[in-house]
Amino acid sequence: MSSAELICPAGTPAALRTAVDAGADAVYCGFQDATNARNFPGLNFTPEELAEAVVYAHSKGAKVLLALNTYPPAGQVDLWQHAADTGARLGVDAFIVADMGVAEYIAQKHPEVRLHLSVQAAASSPEAIRYYCESFGVKRVVLPRILTIPEIRQVRKEIPCEIETFIFGNHGLMVEGRCSLTNYLTGQSTNMDGVCSPASDVEYKRDADGTMSSQLAGFTIDCFRPEEKAGYPTICKGRYTVPHRSEAYYAFEEPVSLNLARLLPELIDAGVHAFKIEGRQRSKSYVRGVVSAFRRAVDDIRAGREADIADLVALTEGQKQTQGAFETKKWR
């Protein structure tokens, strides 16, 4: 059985302390710049805050993973290299990277720090994962959310590193964050700026009947009734009208939340080493509730008990939860 490490989000120093206190084995966070894929105002860490966070997490037996999971534009790699140097100096336990150039720099300059391959790299085949392991010494891969459990089991047999999978939170599948749709409207790149639907470009409007509409850069991307939960305001999760359809529909994907609580035993048996909760933009209350629930579940499973899974619907995006590709049983 794998160790079933619980990896939890930390968008702020307060959220980091909350996650650690709720039972996280490790927390992942980023600096306040374009080096991480959640580069939003009010989120992330200064070097001074990260230094304090590392001390706090380590005092509680938890690890800190630093996300450097965006792609440097040509000629601007210094920002990513400086972030890696700072993270290593402050004692982070691993870097989560996507770009090969960033991986190469860390492998050469900071070989004592573990490298984890971000889901942003979209490495899903044994051949791709082995390349990263052999070239840069990657110790763990965060798998894209498109693989079934039988596929994960097979991949595990063919690679020399640990596997991490998402188990709860946003179910965005637009090539795992390397999407260009928001860039088309706002000029901000998810890939290189770490910004998907920047807050400055998002606006909500209420109609006379109470219906709300969400807009991105002046374009309406969804409308929803007062009793509906709004999805994250991105183009890929918007509803659109077209001439040949009478009703608006989700052209790319419906806003649903991933919840693999019921599949934890199967994932552990398949060789998954670590379980990742998405949500660095979420509140301390969200972090506390979700981390505590999964901490209990993982501990129950490891002790041979049936997991008592809390109802997490209230903390999810949209109207539905899904097990996504993971629940598909047959080999594709």
Side-chain angles (χ1 to χ4, degrees):
M1 178 181 289
S2 62
S3 64
E5 188 175 338
L6 192 59
I7 315 297
C8 304
T12 64
L16 182 143
R17 293 190 294 271
T18 298
V20 169
D21 293 344
D25 293 306
V27 289
Y28 63 99
C29 55
F31 284 128
Q32 294 178 349
D33 56 36
T35 61
N36 87 92
R38 291 293 185 272
N39 181 24
F40 293 96
L43 283 185
N44 302 312
F45 291 66
T46 65
E48 294 75 20
E49 289 171 339
L50 185 60
E52 294 178 1
V54 169
V55 171
Y56 185 84
H58 287 177
S59 73
K60 302 286 187 176
K63 300 172 184 176
V64 176
L65 317 180
L66 183 61
L68 304 180
N69 57 344
T70 49
Y71 292 83
Q76 298 180 34
V77 71
D78 288 356
L79 180 64
W80 281 256
Q81 292 178 350
H82 177 69
D85 295 339
T86 303
R89 175 173 56 82
L90 297 179
V92 301
D93 297 281
F95 294 109
I96 306 172
V97 301
D99 181 77
M100 284 187 275
V102 175
E104 172 70 12
Y105 178 83
I106 295 173
Q108 294 296 321
K109 297 291 185 179
H110 306 291
E112 74 283 1
V113 185
R114 284 170 60 101
L115 270 180
H116 293 183
L117 186 63
S118 172
V119 71
Q120 304 281 75
S124 58
S125 69
E127 293 79 8
I129 296 167
R130 284 199 301 267
Y131 172 81
Y132 283 100
C133 294
E134 294 165 3
S135 299
F136 313 114
V138 164
K139 297 294 190 294
R140 178 183 297 177
V141 58
V142 185
L143 288 180
R145 286 159 282 198
I146 58 172
L147 299 177
T148 66
I149 291 178
E151 288 172 331
I152 292 173
R153 188 188 304 276
Q154 185 61 38
V155 167
R156 180 67 190 91
K157 294 176 182 178
E158 299 182 36
I159 62 174
C161 69
E162 301 167 359
I163 284 178
E164 183 175 314
T165 62
F166 282 90
I167 57 169
F168 193 85
N170 176 40
H171 193 245
L173 295 177
M174 300 303 291
V175 197
E176 296 294 2
R178 296 191 293 154
C179 172
S180 297
L181 291 176
T182 293
N183 187 34
Y184 177 74
L185 289 187
T186 70
Q188 293 288 298
S189 168
T190 305
N191 310 348
M192 295 179 287
D193 301 302
V195 181
C196 176
S197 292
S200 59
D201 289 274
V202 176
E203 186 177 3
Y204 292 92
K205 293 187 176 180
R206 185 184 298 276
D207 296 330
D209 61 358
T211 300
M212 294 286 293
S213 64
S214 56
Q215 298 186 348
L216 182 64
F219 293 89
T220 300
I221 57 177
D222 202 358
C223 295
F224 44 93
R225 298 183 300 274
E227 70 274 12
E228 286 186 289
K229 285 186 178 180
Y232 195 77
T234 61
I235 297 175
C236 63
K237 295 183 179 181
R239 278 181 287 196
Y240 304 97
T241 56
V242 293
H244 65 281
R245 295 180 70 111
S246 59
E247 296 183 354
Y249 77 110
Y250 293 106
F252 298 96
E253 61 177 330
E254 185 175 356
V256 296
S257 289
L258 186 69
N259 185 356
L260 301 187
R262 292 182 177 85
L263 296 181
L264 286 176
E266 294 181 61
L267 289 166
I268 293 174
D269 185 65
V272 174
H273 183 273
F275 298 125
K276 189 166 197 170
I277 296 170
E278 188 272 339
R280 280 194 286 151
Q281 293 166 260
R282 304 284 189 160
S283 67
K284 290 192 299 179
S285 176
Y286 170 92
V287 171
R288 182 182 298 109
V290 175
V291 173
S292 297
F294 277 102
R295 177 77 276 162
R296 291 191 299 270
V298 170
D299 289 347
D300 284 343
I301 293 168
R302 293 175 67 178
R305 301 186 296 267
E306 184 174 349
D308 181 17
I309 302 299
D311 184 6
L312 298 169
V313 173
L315 297 171
T316 59
E317 175 189 9
Q319 302 292 312
K320 302 176 183 177
Q321 293 188 14
T322 182
Q323 295 180 151
F326 295 89
E327 64 187 339
T328 304
K329 300 300 181 183
K330 63 182 180 177
W331 183 266
R332 294 179 300 180

